[in-house]
Amino acid sequence: QVQLQESGPGLVKPSQTLSLTCTVSGGSITTNYYYWSWIRQPPGKGLEWIGYISYSGTTYYSPSLPSRTSISRDTSKNQFTLQLTSVTPEDTAVYYCATGVDGSMWRYEFASWGQGTQVAVSS
């Protein structure tokens, strides 16, 4: 069974960079045809897909965040990461990593989700 776990600081100051890591077990992030996504949910709001990195290392970002978003991976550690620059309090949310086949991200129909990690942006 593929399992994902988010990690990173729970508090980030405005204007700084949010950096989170998703550690994957039970499957390889380079396995053909799987996509590795970041999603977030602000308090009282719905899910917002951020972007993905594919099995081949290609990335794609939500049109609402591409200028501030970077997703990368470390295949030796079977991890992928999220960096979100110039954060504001509106970036406060529970952040999830998830995986699925092509098309899963458009419907939030992921095969596996992490449990989520709360990130607050505050001074």
Side-chain angles (χ1 to χ4, degrees), residues 61-119:
Y61 306 111
S62 169
S64 65
L65 293 168
S67 64
R68 299 197 295 125
T69 306
S70 180
I71 299 174
S72 58
R73 66 180 183 172
D74 185 338
T75 58
S76 68
K77 297 181 179 179
N78 212 33
Q79 297 176 330
F80 64 104
T81 61
L82 170 69
Q83 292 85 42
L84 186 65
T85 62
S86 302
V87 298
T88 73
E90 293 187 350
D91 293 312
T92 295
V94 176
Y95 284 75
Y96 300 91
C97 54
T99 188
V101 298
D102 191 14
S104 61
M105 63 290 298
W106 318 131
R107 302 178 181 178
Y108 295 96
E109 294 179 347
F110 297 100
S112 299
W113 293 74
Q115 65 182 15
T117 186
Q118 173 68 54
V119 178

Side-chain angles (χ1 to χ4, degrees), residues 8 13 34 37 49 51 60-61 63 78 94-95 110 115 121 123:
K13 295 181 178 180
Y34 282 83
S37 291
W49 179 74
Y60 186 80
Y61 306 111
N78 212 33
V94 176
Y95 284 75
F110 297 100
Q115 65 182 15
V121 179
S123 61

Side-chain angles (χ1 to χ4, degrees), residues 4 6 11 15 25 30 32 35-36 40 63 68 79-80 100 103-104 111:
L4 302 88
E6 305 89 348
L11 180 65
S15 80
S25 61
T30 62
N32 283 349
Y35 293 74
W36 307 87
R40 68 181 183 181
R68 299 197 295 125
Q79 297 176 330
F80 64 104
S104 61

